[in-house]
Amino acid sequence: MTNMDDKEEKEETQVENEETHGVTGDQTQIPNGTAMEPATHEDSKETDHIKDADDDKINKEQLDINANEGPSIEKGHEKVDAGDEKRVPQENVNMQEEGQGDQDSKQQGDQQQTSEGDTKNREQLENEKNIKNVEETNKDASAIINVEIKEKPKQSAEEVRHIDNDTKKSHHKVHRSKPTPVEKDSSFVKEVKREAKRVEDRLNPNRSHPSKPKKVKKGIFVSYSPDAGFLERKFVVETVRQLKENNLAEDIWFDKDEKNTDNPCWFSQRMEAVEKCRAAVLILSDSYFMCPVSVYEGKALLERQMVDASSVKVDLVLFSSLEETEIPRQYNHLLRTMVDLTAGIHAKKSLAEKTSVVIGSLMEDLEKYAVINSPPVPYTPPEHDFNGEYKKKKICQWSVGDLQEWLFKLGIKEFYRQSLAEGMVDGFLLMSVTDQDMIHHLGIESRVVRKKIMQQILLTLDKEHKQPDNWHLRARTQKSKSNSVYLVYDPADVRLAQNLKADLLKKGLQVIHHQKLGQSKEEFLQLNGPSIATATYVLVILTDSATNSPFVFHEVLFSDWLGKKIVTAMFHNIWHSLRPALKAVLGECPSVDFETKLYGESMDVLEHHIKPLRSVPGVVLEQAYLNKMADGLKPLGILANSTSPTEYTSDEAEPRVFISYQWDMQSKVEDIKRLLEANSFLCWADISPTMTQRGHSSMSTRSGHSHVDSSETLQSQIQRNMKAAAVVLCCITPKYMQSDNCVKDLTLAETLHKPIVPVMLRFCPWPPEGAPSQVRKIFVRLPSPPIDLSNEKLFKQNIHVVVERIRKVIVVPK
């Protein structure tokens, strides 16, 4: 018992010494090079304590290593890394085994001690040695703590003791320490990373980013007249269907299949497709050249070819004979490869056979421009189970099955429904069906059934017209305010627009413009379209910013679709950099030159065009004023190219030829004009770069509203140039005899006593029959009959006669 008490007292003394110096035994270490002598009975306790301290120090070092390297196994005061057990020094293990053997020998020696005196002496001696040993150990531990503080300044001595106490509490527990969690990036670090990524993107713009593959753009555009009749529409639909069945399903752009025919951006989307396509198929007819939309598409395609012949391939298909129009001269280079369905054996073929002819003629050529080459789309027959889906769609989006269900709800007999089903009539074709079409092409002979179908179509369209998303249809029929102007400009030109607005307000005009831009083109038009509908005129501000402005593009096309009178204010000549679609639409619009003319004079011209004065005091002043106003207003295409119709207001001795004609012979008139000018006869004719502005055709009057607002302005130009002319060349055709141009030009020529040289471009009896009496009298008084140029052979044979006859009237200086 005495020995056991002595051992307990020794341990208590050791703990008190450790607490006094603030260091645990785990932080002691054996100095390097210390020799291990055989343990005697007297020194066994001292050796035990030193070895225990050494083992604790080794364990403390191993604890630090484990904390940095990963999971560890902890047992007693020994701590060995779980993954590095094989790397523990062998001498540490030997030292532990030797320490354990010394403890056993010490206990045996203590049991053999019987003398109390000896025991007290040994205890006193041992306590002194222990105190000395602890002091030395504390010094070593202090050195370790100092090193640790220098290496880890954030860890204090208190934290070290706290860690050691936690380690002691985990005695006899085996566990793996958790890996150190990765700290999340702070907001500052995230911002730095984002900025670094932006810099990297700027330095490496071609670096590939993981993104969704872009959809390949459709490269083959089908251009047709939206005003086409039922038979022509059906031909277009069948042609597109067969093209898609020949692996072009994803390459064809056809507005019906794009499901955008009821969209406010329908016109813009068609023109954008025209600008991006690689090939185009034009279905020509009288309707094609009378509808502004299809005319613009043809102009834009020709403009692209003129800039770069390889940019787009254009194929022509003549579906019906041209009775009211003719193919413009600009298409001449395409006529050689045109598919003519009106001549020869093709004229008597059925619609399906004509479609096959077109496919056979164009398929090989179109395959060169196909990119996707998707397999044929399987045909899905219409469903017989009626589910009411047609009620959720507009008529233009109805399928064949939807139309059948609609007819069933109307109580139409199955016999008549079957006629429309066999003809594959859907909502797109139903929009163009007339009473005659139902009789001749659909076999519906019952007048009651035809009347019922037509009435229901009108009622359904009227209901659709009132829907909120059809605001653009209501805007088209909205009445405009008088003396109101809508400004079209790019947001970058807002200061210029504000100044122009202020000056127009001073002249008593109402000025409006876009207020919000929206998030998409549909939203942009929905926000500003109703304002455009209230205006009488649309004034387009042309600057460098307007060249590729999407705002200008969509507002101009929407204004033209609404039928507004468009005027351009050219502050900078951007004609050559303008988009092909805008060139097609704005080329014939009157334009005011703000770039080279004085601002005040240009504002007067603009005011006179928008709000013409009713009277000007003085006859002479009135004519001079009108002439001045007319000089300041020219079509944009002419003004931008600085090649306005040749005007000669001075030098009366210089020869001049005034050419009077009707628009249906424009190409031949231009050929005559070129030949006369080659013979030193300067000519004047009201021919624009693309299309004349005179006559009664819808092409020239833009479906009933000409951009040349005042006929008086055009007439003043005619009067001025005819006064300056030395001779009037009259181009006679049957239509010319019935036109207003003929009566006005010949009457003016007779009033001004100008000699008239008649030429016959199309055969008609002479003197002409059916012509107005005033015209007949003028022709009868002519000294010689007209020169026949009615065909190519006579044109080449007699054109020199025209030159000689004009030469007799005009003395040309040698």
Side-chain angles (χ1 to χ4, degrees), residues 444-601:
I444 303 177
E445 298 179 354
S446 174
R447 181 175 177 274
V448 176
V449 173
R450 298 196 308 269
K451 184 177 180 180
K452 185 174 183 179
I453 293 176
M454 295 302 295
Q455 287 179 346
Q456 292 300 320
I457 291 174
L458 295 176
L459 289 175
T460 306
L461 290 175
D462 185 62
K463 291 180 181 178
E464 291 182 357
H465 191 271
K466 298 177 181 179
Q467 294 179 2
D469 57 343
N470 281 335
W471 61 268
H472 58 291
L473 300 179
R474 297 189 295 272
R476 199 173 190 183
T477 59
Q478 184 176 351
K479 186 178 180 180
S480 58
K481 300 177 182 179
S482 59
N483 297 330
S484 58
V485 181
Y486 184 90
L487 288 182
V488 174
Y489 62 92
D490 186 78
D493 299 324
V494 61
R495 304 183 84 180
L496 174 61
Q498 293 295 337
N499 294 335
L500 191 60
K501 176 182 177 181
D503 293 335
L504 291 174
L505 291 174
K506 293 178 182 178
K507 295 182 179 296
L509 298 172
Q510 300 180 23
V511 183
I512 50 181
H513 52 81
H514 63 251
Q515 299 295 334
K516 298 180 180 179
L517 301 181
Q519 300 296 326
S520 63
K521 55 187 176 183
E522 289 83 4
E523 185 180 355
F524 173 70
L525 289 181
Q526 186 173 2
L527 292 172
N528 304 290
S531 299
I532 300 177
T534 62
T536 305
Y537 287 87
V538 173
L539 180 61
V540 184
I541 299 177
L542 296 182
T543 62
D544 291 331
S545 302
T547 304
N548 295 311
S549 172
F551 308 103
V552 174
F553 179 81
H554 291 292
E555 283 186 314
V556 167
L557 295 185
F558 187 72
S559 300
D560 187 88
W561 182 80
L562 291 176
K564 298 301 176 181
K565 300 172 182 178
I566 301 178
V567 189
T568 59
M570 191 179 72
F571 285 89
H572 189 72
N573 190 348
I574 59 172
W575 175 259
H576 297 290
S577 58
L578 209 58
R579 296 174 63 167
L582 290 181
K583 283 185 177 182
V585 176
L586 299 178
E588 295 178 9
C589 297
S591 180
V592 182
D593 186 4
F594 281 85
E595 183 180 26
T596 61
K597 304 293 183 181
L598 295 176
Y599 181 81
E601 295 179 359

Side-chain angles (χ1 to χ4, degrees), residues 312-331:
V312 61
K313 177 68 169 62
V314 179
D315 291 312
L316 304 182
V317 177
L318 183 59
F319 173 73
S320 60
S321 300
L322 302 181
E323 298 178 357
E324 301 180 11
T325 61
E326 68 175 9
I327 300 177
R329 184 180 60 86
Q330 289 78 11
Y331 290 86

